[in-house]
Amino acid sequence: MFDFSYSEDQLSVKKMVRKFVDREIMPNIEKWDEEQHFEASIIDKLADLGLMGVCIPEKYGGQGMDYITLAIVCSELERGDTAFRTLVSVHTALNSMTLLQWGDEFQKEKY
């Protein structure tokens, strides 16, 4: 039998991202959509929270968490706006994970 419950760390991340989305995205998203505006300052805030490298090893500046936690982060961001979820998932999968898997040590340390 499998236990599909979230760990305490995963629940903590879920709660933190939910609060972030409720505070930073939800009150503004309708206006941003109407104005066709992408609020770039959210990227810095996501980075400050460690959400741009959730499953990247701490050795390279990430949080060292698992892929379930990344899915939780993406799910909570998606609740607020698809663009911010896409930003995190693409940055992680296409950029960071590519460097992690195929980059040399210099590239991993630098980027």
Side-chain angles (χ1 to χ4, degrees):
M1 182 162 217
F2 293 99
D3 180 6
F4 292 103
S5 322
Y6 291 147
S7 70
E8 289 298 319
D9 287 342
Q10 290 167 334
L11 289 171
S12 177
V13 169
K14 180 179 177 64
K15 183 178 179 180
M16 183 256 310
V17 178
R18 181 165 284 252
K19 282 183 179 180
F20 175 82
V21 168
D22 288 346
R23 183 182 66 247
E24 299 289 338
I25 297 174
M26 296 298 277
N28 303 302
I29 195 61
E30 188 174 329
K31 180 181 177 200
W32 294 339
D33 282 351
E34 287 172 1
E35 296 173 357
Q36 298 180 1
H37 172 74
F38 179 79
E39 184 55 46
S41 70
I42 297 292
I43 299 169
D44 291 332
K45 293 175 182 181
L46 291 168
D48 289 344
L49 292 172
L51 300 177
M52 299 302 286
V54 170
C55 57
I56 303 303
E58 291 180 48
K59 174 180 178 180
Y60 300 116
Q63 297 300 309
M65 296 181 178
D66 59 17
Y67 295 107
I68 301 294
T69 305
L70 175 61
I72 291 167
V73 168
C74 288
S75 176
E76 287 299 323
L77 288 172
E78 181 78 26
R79 196 175 58 79
D81 185 55
T82 299
F84 296 114
R85 189 275 308 153
T86 301
L87 177 89
V88 169
S89 61
V90 168
H91 170 76
T92 302
L94 296 180
N95 176 58
S96 301
M97 296 305 294
T98 299
L99 283 168
L100 187 63
Q101 185 164 354
W102 289 293
D104 60 31
E105 196 59 30
F106 174 78
Q107 292 169 321
K108 290 176 188 179
E109 290 288 337
K110 183 175 181 180
Y111 301 109

